[in-house]
Amino acid sequence: MAQVKIYGRRSVWGERRTEVSDALHDALVRTWQLPPDKRFHRFLLLDDDDLVAPRSDAYLVVEVVCFTGRTREAKRALIAALYDDVVPALGLTPDDVELVILESPRENWGIRGVSGDELALSYRVDV
């Protein structure tokens, strides 16, 4: 399981949600082997005055909230894909994007009426 939260300025990213979602999802499918139909993205777009950062107006913060279990190599692969593929696809610089991977044990999740550690997944988490 992985859910993605994208924070940015509404004035910059409001009309580009699909483009951002597609680029991020492609990186997760390639690096973490998520199934193509497992896309959970939330856009938390802010008014310009509500995002204060010493970066460009195009600054994005990406949080990936996921089950614990991915290897260090898988996390590094996602980070590399973000900067090697997603950043240029969106016309950004590396200074414009930050990624945080937030892991939580499966038993801390409730999904489809069961605890996450009782959930049968169609894909691996231990990549």
Side-chain angles (χ1 to χ4, degrees):
M1 174 59 74
Q3 296 183 358
V4 180
K5 293 189 274 185
I6 301 108
Y7 299 87
R9 288 186 169 87
R10 183 177 292 107
S11 63
V12 176
W13 298 107
E15 300 298 319
R16 297 181 67 189
R17 287 182 189 99
T18 300
E19 180 184 0
V20 173
S21 180
D22 288 348
L24 290 169
H25 190 62
D26 181 60
L28 282 159
V29 168
R30 284 185 295 107
T31 60
W32 285 11
Q33 302 170 21
L34 288 184
D37 65 334
K38 295 292 182 189
R39 185 185 304 218
F40 296 94
H41 295 179
R42 288 178 278 174
F43 283 84
L44 300 131
L45 300 180
L46 306 166
D47 293 335
D48 288 354
D49 292 341
D50 292 332
L51 181 57
V52 179
R55 300 285 189 267
S56 78
D57 288 347
Y59 178 65
L60 284 176
V61 177
V62 178
E63 290 182 3
V64 177
V65 182
C66 59
F67 288 160
T68 303
R70 268 84 183 189
T71 64
R72 183 176 184 179
E73 292 77 19
K75 294 174 204 172
R76 286 178 179 247
L78 179 60
I79 292 167
L82 179 77
Y83 290 103
D84 294 345
D85 303 325
V86 175
V87 164
L90 298 177
L92 300 173
T93 71
D95 284 346
D96 291 325
V97 179
E98 292 186 17
L99 169 69
V100 179
I101 299 169
L102 303 169
E103 297 179 292
S104 180
R106 290 176 66 157
E107 64 267 15
N108 290 357
W109 294 64
I111 301 170
R112 295 190 292 263
V114 298
S115 175
D117 58 343
E118 298 171 344
L119 187 66
L121 297 175
S122 61
Y123 56 94
R124 294 179 47 211
V125 173
D126 60 340
V127 294

